[in-house]
Amino acid sequence: MKLKGQHGEIIQIPWSGLVRLLVLILIMLAILLLSAGSWTWWVAWAYTLSGTLVLLGSRLFIVLSYPDLALERARAHELEDVKEWDKILMPLTTLVGPLAAWIVAGLSYRLGWPPDLPVWMQIAALVLIQLGSLLGAYAMGSNRYFSSQVRIQTDRGHTVIHKGPYKWVRHPAYAGTLLSWLATPVFFSSWWVAVPAILTIFVVVLRTALEDRVLQAELPGYRDYARRVKYRLIPGIW
């Protein structure tokens, strides 16, 4: 796919990123259903379909609005200047944590582990999960340097972003991730899902702190921005 970039240059967007996203969605659904031992478990279908709408909608917006960012994210696995610690933390938050939660959620349904929460509460939790995802999508749509891995993008003219949700907290996408993870055990009606959720939240907070330290040390103008926007994740708290 060829699109015009920020400075009028032609950018070739590989289809591999979309293929990986679709494969991940199918794997997510398969893990949930296989772990649950039921193809009619409504929770798995609602989680997958609602998440797919947010994911595809946000990615389509990025491809059309910021093709250079779409290319950055598509080739993230090829980049060499990613911080070494993020090569460990990023997969924990985006792959290991979710996989563990999906497996535990399915097993909780199959084995009837408590609690058995009412459907209305699960639906409310699903709304919170997707609100967290939408906050992340809002952050991505406001930040053309929203790479999937922590690095200073000198090759792309990396600058500090002040608009959108970045006016309120310095890492709004991570804030959305926390909201989603806090609601996840309730949606799956499983206290056991809280175990991978809490561990993943810990890694997200750690990644936020490390990334903020890198930005303050290496990105021109970020220290001044941090003085104006004092909180990393939660206004009034941290």
Side-chain angles (χ1 to χ4, degrees):
M1 180 188 301
K2 294 183 179 180
L3 295 170
K4 186 174 292 188
Q6 180 180 7
H7 304 293
E9 73 278 19
I10 300 300
I11 296 177
Q12 177 71 45
I13 306 295
W15 289 99
S16 57
L18 176 60
V19 172
R20 285 197 299 269
L21 182 61
L22 294 175
V23 168
L24 176 61
I25 291 170
L26 292 175
I27 289 174
M28 175 177 65
L29 180 60
I31 289 175
L32 285 168
L33 295 177
L34 290 172
S35 299
S38 171
W39 294 97
T40 59
W41 186 30
W42 73 269
V43 168
W45 289 100
Y47 183 79
T48 302
L49 293 176
S50 60
T52 298
L53 289 175
V54 174
L55 277 173
L56 293 183
S58 62
R59 270 45 178 191
L60 178 61
F61 176 83
I62 293 303
V63 167
L64 296 178
S65 302
Y66 304 133
D68 52 324
L69 175 57
L71 180 61
E72 157 78 19
R73 296 179 65 84
R75 64 186 183 95
H77 60 287
E78 304 172 0
L79 301 173
E80 297 181 355
D81 58 345
V82 174
K83 300 301 179 182
E84 290 298 323
W85 51 263
D86 201 45
K87 294 178 181 178
I88 298 173
L89 297 186
M90 190 275 286
L92 291 178
T93 60
T94 61
L95 183 61
V96 177
L99 281 174
W102 301 336
I103 292 171
V104 173
L107 291 176
S108 296
Y109 175 79
R110 181 193 287 247
L111 300 175
W113 292 341
D116 185 14
L117 298 176
V119 172
W120 70 264
M121 190 176 295
Q122 290 179 274
I123 293 175
L126 181 60
V127 171
L128 290 178
I129 289 172
Q130 299 310 335
L131 283 176
S133 297
L134 286 171
L135 178 55
Y138 182 25
M140 187 186 303
S142 302
N143 183 0
R144 70 180 319 118
Y145 306 107
F146 195 100
S147 179
S148 59
Q149 294 182 291
V150 177
R151 73 183 191 96
I152 302 300
Q153 302 165 54
T154 53
D155 55 316
R156 301 184 58 230
H158 198 167
T159 57
V160 178
I161 299 299
H162 308 266
K163 63 182 181 178
Y166 293 92
K167 294 182 293 187
W168 310 314
V169 291
R170 303 204 295 267
H171 301 275
Y174 291 151
T177 299
L178 292 187
L179 176 61
S180 294
W181 275 110
L182 288 171
T184 295
V186 177
F187 172 66
F188 285 115
S189 190
S190 169
W191 297 144
W192 284 107
V193 173
V195 175
I198 291 171
L199 292 175
T200 304
I201 286 172
F202 172 79
V203 177
V204 169
V205 173
L206 175 61
R207 191 182 185 206
T208 301
L210 292 174
E211 180 174 345
D212 200 77
R213 184 183 302 173
V214 167
L215 292 171
Q216 293 211 37
E218 302 181 27
L219 183 61
Y222 192 86
R223 284 184 182 273
D224 292 334
Y225 165 69
R227 293 189 188 99
R228 295 194 305 274
V229 180
K230 299 182 181 299
Y231 301 103
R232 299 173 183 86
L233 289 176
I234 306 173
I237 298 179
W238 186 71

PDB file of all heavy atoms in Angstrom, residues 34-57:
ATOM      1  N   LEU A  34     -10.875 -22.527  23.215  1.00  0.00           N
ATOM      2  CA  LEU A  34     -10.288 -23.832  23.525  1.00  0.00           C
ATOM      3  C   LEU A  34     -10.093 -24.014  25.024  1.00  0.00           C
ATOM      4  O   LEU A  34     -10.335 -25.106  25.568  1.00  0.00           O
ATOM      5  CB  LEU A  34      -8.960 -23.998  22.787  1.00  0.00           C
ATOM      6  CG  LEU A  34      -9.054 -24.166  21.268  1.00  0.00           C
ATOM      7  CD1 LEU A  34      -7.665 -24.135  20.636  1.00  0.00           C
ATOM      8  CD2 LEU A  34      -9.765 -25.480  20.921  1.00  0.00           C
ATOM      9  N   SER A  35      -9.646 -22.978  25.699  1.00  0.00           N
ATOM     10  CA  SER A  35      -9.466 -23.066  27.151  1.00  0.00           C
ATOM     11  C   SER A  35     -10.809 -23.265  27.852  1.00  0.00           C
ATOM     12  O   SER A  35     -10.895 -24.011  28.836  1.00  0.00           O
ATOM     13  CB  SER A  35      -8.788 -21.799  27.689  1.00  0.00           C
ATOM     14  OG  SER A  35      -7.518 -21.621  27.125  1.00  0.00           O
ATOM     15  N   ALA A  36     -11.841 -22.605  27.328  1.00  0.00           N
ATOM     16  CA  ALA A  36     -13.173 -22.718  27.925  1.00  0.00           C
ATOM     17  C   ALA A  36     -13.848 -24.040  27.582  1.00  0.00           C
ATOM     18  O   ALA A  36     -14.758 -24.482  28.286  1.00  0.00           O
ATOM     19  CB  ALA A  36     -14.043 -21.558  27.462  1.00  0.00           C
ATOM     20  N   GLY A  37     -13.406 -24.673  26.483  1.00  0.00           N
ATOM     21  CA  GLY A  37     -14.030 -25.915  26.061  1.00  0.00           C
ATOM     22  C   GLY A  37     -15.420 -25.718  25.500  1.00  0.00           C
ATOM     23  O   GLY A  37     -16.245 -26.641  25.516  1.00  0.00           O
ATOM     24  N   SER A  38     -15.691 -24.505  25.006  1.00  0.00           N
ATOM     25  CA  SER A  38     -17.019 -24.217  24.469  1.00  0.00           C
ATOM     26  C   SER A  38     -16.899 -23.183  23.360  1.00  0.00           C
ATOM     27  O   SER A  38     -16.259 -22.141  23.538  1.00  0.00           O
ATOM     28  CB  SER A  38     -17.936 -23.676  25.570  1.00  0.00           C
ATOM     29  OG  SER A  38     -19.160 -23.189  25.034  1.00  0.00           O
ATOM     30  N   TRP A  39     -17.536 -23.450  22.221  1.00  0.00           N
ATOM     31  CA  TRP A  39     -17.532 -22.502  21.102  1.00  0.00           C
ATOM     32  C   TRP A  39     -18.657 -21.480  21.217  1.00  0.00           C
ATOM     33  O   TRP A  39     -18.761 -20.576  20.402  1.00  0.00           O
ATOM     34  CB  TRP A  39     -17.651 -23.260  19.781  1.00  0.00           C
ATOM     35  CG  TRP A  39     -16.456 -24.110  19.502  1.00  0.00           C
ATOM     36  CD1 TRP A  39     -16.317 -25.440  19.744  1.00  0.00           C
ATOM     37  CD2 TRP A  39     -15.207 -23.671  18.971  1.00  0.00           C
ATOM     38  NE1 TRP A  39     -15.045 -25.864  19.400  1.00  0.00           N
ATOM     39  CE2 TRP A  39     -14.346 -24.801  18.915  1.00  0.00           C
ATOM     40  CE3 TRP A  39     -14.714 -22.436  18.532  1.00  0.00           C
ATOM     41  CZ2 TRP A  39     -13.036 -24.726  18.437  1.00  0.00           C
ATOM     42  CZ3 TRP A  39     -13.413 -22.362  18.063  1.00  0.00           C
ATOM     43  CH2 TRP A  39     -12.598 -23.496  18.022  1.00  0.00           C
ATOM     44  N   THR A  40     -19.504 -21.638  22.244  1.00  0.00           N
ATOM     45  CA  THR A  40     -20.644 -20.733  22.404  1.00  0.00           C
ATOM     46  C   THR A  40     -20.486 -19.806  23.609  1.00  0.00           C
ATOM     47  O   THR A  40     -21.455 -19.172  24.017  1.00  0.00           O
ATOM     48  CB  THR A  40     -21.946 -21.537  22.549  1.00  0.00           C
ATOM     49  OG1 THR A  40     -21.849 -22.397  23.696  1.00  0.00           O
ATOM     50  CG2 THR A  40     -22.197 -22.374  21.303  1.00  0.00           C
ATOM     51  N   TRP A  41     -19.303 -19.730  24.161  1.00  0.00           N
ATOM     52  CA  TRP A  41     -19.069 -18.864  25.316  1.00  0.00           C
ATOM     53  C   TRP A  41     -19.162 -17.412  24.870  1.00  0.00           C
ATOM     54  O   TRP A  41     -18.273 -16.899  24.203  1.00  0.00           O
ATOM     55  CB  TRP A  41     -17.704 -19.179  25.920  1.00  0.00           C
ATOM     56  CG  TRP A  41     -17.392 -18.471  27.200  1.00  0.00           C
ATOM     57  CD1 TRP A  41     -18.274 -18.068  28.152  1.00  0.00           C
ATOM     58  CD2 TRP A  41     -16.095 -18.079  27.658  1.00  0.00           C
ATOM     59  NE1 TRP A  41     -17.626 -17.445  29.194  1.00  0.00           N
ATOM     60  CE2 TRP A  41     -16.275 -17.448  28.918  1.00  0.00           C
ATOM     61  CE3 TRP A  41     -14.808 -18.211  27.150  1.00  0.00           C
ATOM     62  CZ2 TRP A  41     -15.214 -16.949  29.659  1.00  0.00           C
ATOM     63  CZ3 TRP A  41     -13.744 -17.714  27.882  1.00  0.00           C
ATOM     64  CH2 TRP A  41     -13.947 -17.098  29.121  1.00  0.00           C
ATOM     65  N   TRP A  42     -20.220 -16.740  25.240  1.00  0.00           N
ATOM     66  CA  TRP A  42     -20.478 -15.395  24.735  1.00  0.00           C
ATOM     67  C   TRP A  42     -19.395 -14.399  25.134  1.00  0.00           C
ATOM     68  O   TRP A  42     -19.113 -13.449  24.393  1.00  0.00           O
ATOM     69  CB  TRP A  42     -21.841 -14.893  25.203  1.00  0.00           C
ATOM     70  CG  TRP A  42     -21.914 -14.521  26.663  1.00  0.00           C
ATOM     71  CD1 TRP A  42     -22.264 -15.325  27.698  1.00  0.00           C
ATOM     72  CD2 TRP A  42     -21.618 -13.234  27.227  1.00  0.00           C
ATOM     73  NE1 TRP A  42     -22.201 -14.642  28.884  1.00  0.00           N
ATOM     74  CE2 TRP A  42     -21.820 -13.346  28.630  1.00  0.00           C
ATOM     75  CE3 TRP A  42     -21.213 -12.007  26.711  1.00  0.00           C
ATOM     76  CZ2 TRP A  42     -21.613 -12.284  29.510  1.00  0.00           C
ATOM     77  CZ3 TRP A  42     -21.001 -10.939  27.582  1.00  0.00           C
ATOM     78  CH2 TRP A  42     -21.203 -11.083  28.959  1.00  0.00           C
ATOM     79  N   VAL A  43     -18.791 -14.625  26.304  1.00  0.00           N
ATOM     80  CA  VAL A  43     -17.760 -13.712  26.795  1.00  0.00           C
ATOM     81  C   VAL A  43     -16.596 -13.627  25.804  1.00  0.00           C
ATOM     82  O   VAL A  43     -16.079 -12.540  25.510  1.00  0.00           O
ATOM     83  CB  VAL A  43     -17.277 -14.166  28.181  1.00  0.00           C
ATOM     84  CG1 VAL A  43     -16.011 -13.424  28.596  1.00  0.00           C
ATOM     85  CG2 VAL A  43     -18.379 -13.944  29.221  1.00  0.00           C
ATOM     86  N   ALA A  44     -16.165 -14.781  25.287  1.00  0.00           N
ATOM     87  CA  ALA A  44     -15.039 -14.810  24.347  1.00  0.00           C
ATOM     88  C   ALA A  44     -15.389 -14.059  23.070  1.00  0.00           C
ATOM     89  O   ALA A  44     -14.572 -13.291  22.537  1.00  0.00           O
ATOM     90  CB  ALA A  44     -14.668 -16.256  24.023  1.00  0.00           C
ATOM     91  N   TRP A  45     -16.591 -14.271  22.562  1.00  0.00           N
ATOM     92  CA  TRP A  45     -16.988 -13.610  21.316  1.00  0.00           C
ATOM     93  C   TRP A  45     -17.154 -12.106  21.513  1.00  0.00           C
ATOM     94  O   TRP A  45     -16.745 -11.303  20.666  1.00  0.00           O
ATOM     95  CB  TRP A  45     -18.286 -14.233  20.796  1.00  0.00           C
ATOM     96  CG  TRP A  45     -18.096 -15.617  20.268  1.00  0.00           C
ATOM     97  CD1 TRP A  45     -18.366 -16.792  20.911  1.00  0.00           C
ATOM     98  CD2 TRP A  45     -17.545 -15.970  18.996  1.00  0.00           C
ATOM     99  NE1 TRP A  45     -18.035 -17.863  20.117  1.00  0.00           N
ATOM    100  CE2 TRP A  45     -17.533 -17.391  18.927  1.00  0.00           C
ATOM    101  CE3 TRP A  45     -17.074 -15.243  17.902  1.00  0.00           C
ATOM    102  CZ2 TRP A  45     -17.062 -18.077  17.816  1.00  0.00           C
ATOM    103  CZ3 TRP A  45     -16.597 -15.927  16.791  1.00  0.00           C
ATOM    104  CH2 TRP A  45     -16.600 -17.323  16.759  1.00  0.00           C
ATOM    105  N   ALA A  46     -17.758 -11.690  22.638  1.00  0.00           N
ATOM    106  CA  ALA A  46     -17.949 -10.262  22.897  1.00  0.00           C
ATOM    107  C   ALA A  46     -16.611  -9.564  23.065  1.00  0.00           C
ATOM    108  O   ALA A  46     -16.398  -8.453  22.540  1.00  0.00           O
ATOM    109  CB  ALA A  46     -18.801 -10.076  24.158  1.00  0.00           C
ATOM    110  N   TYR A  47     -15.697 -10.189  23.770  1.00  0.00           N
ATOM    111  CA  TYR A  47     -14.364  -9.619  23.998  1.00  0.00           C
ATOM    112  C   TYR A  47     -13.612  -9.463  22.683  1.00  0.00           C
ATOM    113  O   TYR A  47     -13.020  -8.417  22.405  1.00  0.00           O
ATOM    114  CB  TYR A  47     -13.607 -10.550  24.946  1.00  0.00           C
ATOM    115  CG  TYR A  47     -12.228 -10.087  25.353  1.00  0.00           C
ATOM    116  CD1 TYR A  47     -12.061  -9.117  26.340  1.00  0.00           C
ATOM    117  CD2 TYR A  47     -11.089 -10.657  24.793  1.00  0.00           C
ATOM    118  CE1 TYR A  47     -10.798  -8.716  26.741  1.00  0.00           C
ATOM    119  CE2 TYR A  47      -9.823 -10.255  25.181  1.00  0.00           C
ATOM    120  CZ  TYR A  47      -9.687  -9.289  26.166  1.00  0.00           C
ATOM    121  OH  TYR A  47      -8.419  -8.897  26.547  1.00  0.00           O
ATOM    122  N   THR A  48     -13.672 -10.509  21.857  1.00  0.00           N
ATOM    123  CA  THR A  48     -12.936 -10.486  20.593  1.00  0.00           C
ATOM    124  C   THR A  48     -13.526  -9.496  19.602  1.00  0.00           C
ATOM    125  O   THR A  48     -12.803  -8.708  18.983  1.00  0.00           O
ATOM    126  CB  THR A  48     -12.911 -11.888  19.971  1.00  0.00           C
ATOM    127  OG1 THR A  48     -12.317 -12.815  20.897  1.00  0.00           O
ATOM    128  CG2 THR A  48     -12.106 -11.900  18.679  1.00  0.00           C
ATOM    129  N   LEU A  49     -14.843  -9.520  19.442  1.00  0.00           N
ATOM    130  CA  LEU A  49     -15.468  -8.655  18.446  1.00  0.00           C
ATOM    131  C   LEU A  49     -15.350  -7.176  18.816  1.00  0.00           C
ATOM    132  O   LEU A  49     -15.049  -6.338  17.961  1.00  0.00           O
ATOM    133  CB  LEU A  49     -16.937  -9.045  18.270  1.00  0.00           C
ATOM    134  CG  LEU A  49     -17.177 -10.422  17.635  1.00  0.00           C
ATOM    135  CD1 LEU A  49     -18.664 -10.750  17.603  1.00  0.00           C
ATOM    136  CD2 LEU A  49     -16.588 -10.469  16.226  1.00  0.00           C
ATOM    137  N   SER A  50     -15.577  -6.843  20.081  1.00  0.00           N
ATOM    138  CA  SER A  50     -15.474  -5.439  20.484  1.00  0.00           C
ATOM    139  C   SER A  50     -14.025  -4.962  20.380  1.00  0.00           C
ATOM    140  O   SER A  50     -13.759  -3.842  19.925  1.00  0.00           O
ATOM    141  CB  SER A  50     -15.989  -5.248  21.912  1.00  0.00           C
ATOM    142  OG  SER A  50     -15.235  -6.022  22.843  1.00  0.00           O
ATOM    143  N   GLY A  51     -13.081  -5.813  20.771  1.00  0.00           N
ATOM    144  CA  GLY A  51     -11.674  -5.450  20.660  1.00  0.00           C
ATOM    145  C   GLY A  51     -11.234  -5.291  19.219  1.00  0.00           C
ATOM    146  O   GLY A  51     -10.432  -4.401  18.895  1.00  0.00           O
ATOM    147  N   THR A  52     -11.767  -6.139  18.336  1.00  0.00           N
ATOM    148  CA  THR A  52     -11.410  -6.067  16.924  1.00  0.00           C
ATOM    149  C   THR A  52     -11.869  -4.750  16.308  1.00  0.00           C
ATOM    150  O   THR A  52     -11.150  -4.130  15.515  1.00  0.00           O
ATOM    151  CB  THR A  52     -12.035  -7.245  16.155  1.00  0.00           C
ATOM    152  OG1 THR A  52     -11.514  -8.472  16.679  1.00  0.00           O
ATOM    153  CG2 THR A  52     -11.714  -7.159  14.668  1.00  0.00           C
ATOM    154  N   LEU A  53     -13.060  -4.297  16.668  1.00  0.00           N
ATOM    155  CA  LEU A  53     -13.574  -3.025  16.137  1.00  0.00           C
ATOM    156  C   LEU A  53     -12.655  -1.868  16.526  1.00  0.00           C
ATOM    157  O   LEU A  53     -12.330  -1.012  15.694  1.00  0.00           O
ATOM    158  CB  LEU A  53     -14.989  -2.777  16.655  1.00  0.00           C
ATOM    159  CG  LEU A  53     -16.093  -3.676  16.082  1.00  0.00           C
ATOM    160  CD1 LEU A  53     -17.422  -3.387  16.777  1.00  0.00           C
ATOM    161  CD2 LEU A  53     -16.227  -3.454  14.577  1.00  0.00           C
ATOM    162  N   VAL A  54     -12.219  -1.847  17.786  1.00  0.00           N
ATOM    163  CA  VAL A  54     -11.342  -0.771  18.243  1.00  0.00           C
ATOM    164  C   VAL A  54      -9.984  -0.861  17.564  1.00  0.00           C
ATOM    165  O   VAL A  54      -9.431   0.140  17.077  1.00  0.00           O
ATOM    166  CB  VAL A  54     -11.188  -0.814  19.773  1.00  0.00           C
ATOM    167  CG1 VAL A  54     -10.160   0.223  20.238  1.00  0.00           C
ATOM    168  CG2 VAL A  54     -12.523  -0.560  20.455  1.00  0.00           C
ATOM    169  N   LEU A  55      -9.424  -2.066  17.504  1.00  0.00           N
ATOM    170  CA  LEU A  55      -8.100  -2.257  16.910  1.00  0.00           C
ATOM    171  C   LEU A  55      -8.084  -1.866  15.437  1.00  0.00           C
ATOM    172  O   LEU A  55      -7.237  -1.081  15.000  1.00  0.00           O
ATOM    173  CB  LEU A  55      -7.664  -3.711  17.060  1.00  0.00           C
ATOM    174  CG  LEU A  55      -7.038  -4.119  18.392  1.00  0.00           C
ATOM    175  CD1 LEU A  55      -6.833  -5.618  18.440  1.00  0.00           C
ATOM    176  CD2 LEU A  55      -5.722  -3.394  18.611  1.00  0.00           C
ATOM    177  N   LEU A  56      -9.015  -2.420  14.670  1.00  0.00           N
ATOM    178  CA  LEU A  56      -9.019  -2.140  13.231  1.00  0.00           C
ATOM    179  C   LEU A  56      -9.343  -0.683  12.947  1.00  0.00           C
ATOM    180  O   LEU A  56      -8.760  -0.068  12.048  1.00  0.00           O
ATOM    181  CB  LEU A  56     -10.015  -3.062  12.528  1.00  0.00           C
ATOM    182  CG  LEU A  56      -9.652  -4.556  12.515  1.00  0.00           C
ATOM    183  CD1 LEU A  56     -10.690  -5.353  11.733  1.00  0.00           C
ATOM    184  CD2 LEU A  56      -8.262  -4.782  11.946  1.00  0.00           C
ATOM    185  N   GLY A  57     -10.267  -0.100  13.713  1.00  0.00           N
ATOM    186  CA  GLY A  57     -10.605   1.302  13.516  1.00  0.00           C
ATOM    187  C   GLY A  57      -9.423   2.220  13.777  1.00  0.00           C
ATOM    188  O   GLY A  57      -9.143   3.141  12.994  1.00  0.00           O
TER     189      GLY A  57
END
